[in-house]
Amino acid sequence: MKKTVLFLALIFSFALTAQEVKPNFEKDGDLVKATYFHDNGKISQTGYFLKGKLHGEWVMYNEEGVKMVVGNYTNGLKNGKWLYNEGEKLREVAFVDNKIASVVKKDNPEAIVYTN
């Protein structure tokens, strides 16, 4: 009986692993565009890598597909304005070399639109 339960658990774990949604990577000039997915198949994050480091605009979504975070990386460091959707509020965080320079809260965000 123990062998049967172990065998079924092993088969079940392979079935769960087979259903994982793997990230997608595409070459785009010198950059590599990365797309990561939630378990439900919807996009979790999109962005770029340059020489193995996060670089350029990154966008993150919740499991329902709502844009939650938009910001820029420069050679792996957060830089410029990052926008965070917090439901009824929008938080704008300015980064300089991965350090927070300022934080501003705004009311009633319709959508996150990145403007740098």
Side-chain angles (χ1 to χ4, degrees):
M1 181 68 176
K2 287 183 182 180
K3 288 183 181 180
T4 303
V5 171
L6 182 60
F7 177 75
L8 290 174
L10 186 60
I11 295 295
F12 183 69
S13 68
F14 281 121
L16 287 177
T17 305
Q19 292 176 1
E20 280 184 22
V21 182
K22 303 224 184 258
N24 183 38
F25 299 100
E26 300 172 32
K27 187 87 168 127
D28 187 1
D30 290 339
L31 301 171
V32 174
K33 182 178 181 183
T35 305
Y36 296 90
F37 299 91
H38 288 289
D39 289 339
N40 66 7
K42 292 195 179 203
I43 293 175
S44 166
Q45 297 183 44
T46 61
Y48 294 89
F49 288 93
L50 177 64
K51 298 179 183 175
K53 294 183 179 180
L54 300 168
H55 191 82
E57 184 178 79
W58 276 80
V59 181
M60 296 164 219
Y61 303 87
N62 67 14
E63 289 183 344
E64 288 78 41
V66 176
K67 196 180 293 186
M68 298 303 293
V69 181
V70 177
N72 265 316
Y73 284 97
T74 305
N75 293 318
L77 302 176
K78 289 181 179 179
N79 267 312
K81 280 191 236 175
W82 280 66
L83 302 174
Y84 296 85
N85 179 351
E86 297 177 343
E88 296 296 316
K89 301 230 182 253
L90 179 69
R91 185 180 307 236
E92 180 180 287
V93 180
F95 286 91
V96 176
D97 292 330
N98 221 37
K99 295 178 182 155
I100 296 174
S102 67
V103 178
V104 176
K105 283 188 180 181
K106 299 181 178 184
D107 289 332
N108 300 319
E110 292 288 321
I112 297 177
V113 178
Y114 184 74
T115 56
N116 194 10

